[in-house]
Amino acid sequence: MRNEYAADLGLSESDLASDWHTQFGRWFADAVAYPLPEPNAMVVATADAEGRPSARTVLLKGYDQDGFVFYTNYGSRKAAEAAANPWASLVFPWFPMQRQVVVTGRVARVDRAETEAYFASRPRGSQLGAWASSQSQVVPERAALDAAYRAAAERFADVEPIPAPPHWGGLRVRPETVEFWHGRVSRLHDRLRFRRTEGGDWITERLAP
């Protein structure tokens, strides 16, 4: 299977913002307006201490010049791998727009106040789910998960607001590279990358497709 890309689209150096987070904001706004289903969905790839990789799709919940933030159970596979090997890659697969954003960087937990502020904004059902689910752990059957949810609902029936679980919180990927990819004809795609140097400055560079 093969789809050809439009000839009149692309990404040039003159199109690029002066920093990665401004450029990401432009493309993210385009993805929201397109519209794409869940434009904040991204693939998060991690690896364990021995380098064995895993990947999954999660939702971006915030970004700024310090990085990209998502939330998870700290007992999950991705959080455990990030603790053992604190590097990750993110991919925003905006294929209908012939665009991707690829990020690599170090992973760190967000501070507790940031986690609690975000948790307070979640729907009550999602809050209960965070307490009920031992993410990435084996469960004997669906009924066990449903029972855990009912138990959480009973536990917090008269509690408002529901507190964030101590085992749940945010992870921030602090970029070392952010690549903006745009499809072009004949597979001669545009790949423009922001890269942090060892001195901490950011440079831009074009990569061969």
Side-chain angles (χ1 to χ4, degrees):
M1 295 180 285
R2 177 182 293 266
N3 293 321
E4 193 55 272
Y5 293 96
D8 59 345
L9 297 176
L11 179 65
S12 68
E13 284 80 355
S14 62
D15 297 326
L16 211 60
S18 61
D19 55 70
W20 70 262
H21 44 92
T22 301
Q23 181 63 37
F24 181 83
R26 290 177 182 175
W27 273 25
F28 185 71
D30 290 345
V32 171
Y34 191 76
L36 295 179
E38 294 195 308
N40 59 325
M42 60 183 181
V43 177
V44 177
T46 54
D48 65 17
E50 297 180 0
R52 291 173 296 196
S54 64
R56 73 291 292 160
T57 302
V58 304
L59 297 180
L60 174 72
K61 291 301 180 180
Y63 74 92
D64 57 22
Q65 67 272 12
D66 292 326
F68 300 85
V69 175
F70 62 95
Y71 290 84
T72 187
N73 186 310
Y74 287 145
S76 68
R77 180 176 181 177
K78 57 184 171 294
E81 289 182 350
N85 180 6
W87 292 91
S89 181
L90 313 176
V91 180
F92 294 86
W94 296 329
F95 301 134
M97 302 175 66
Q98 303 180 14
R99 292 176 175 178
Q100 299 181 71
V101 179
V102 183
V103 179
T104 63
R106 292 187 65 89
V107 186
R109 292 187 181 188
V110 307
D111 64 47
R112 197 61 193 167
E114 189 172 348
T115 285
E116 291 173 352
Y118 170 71
F119 190 83
S121 74
R122 286 165 61 88
R124 187 176 180 86
S126 297
Q127 294 175 336
L128 293 171
W131 279 98
S133 177
S134 298
Q135 192 174 0
S136 299
Q137 305 306 308
V138 175
V139 293
E141 57 187 355
R142 175 72 196 198
L145 186 60
D146 293 337
Y149 184 88
R150 289 194 297 272
E154 292 175 4
R155 175 182 177 182
F156 295 107
D158 299 319
V159 177
E160 185 64 42
I162 297 175
H167 55 267
W168 189 96
L171 294 176
R172 176 178 285 106
V173 178
R174 299 182 181 275
E176 296 289 329
T177 65
V178 184
E179 177 187 334
F180 295 87
W181 180 101
H182 205 303
R184 297 291 296 271
V185 295
S186 302
R187 294 305 190 259
L188 294 178
H189 311 306
D190 287 321
R191 299 176 61 192
L192 297 180
R193 181 174 70 178
F194 290 86
R195 178 170 62 85
R196 189 197 300 270
T197 66
E198 290 184 3
D201 297 323
W202 286 90
I203 63 171
T204 58
E205 51 200 4
R206 177 175 285 270
L207 304 178

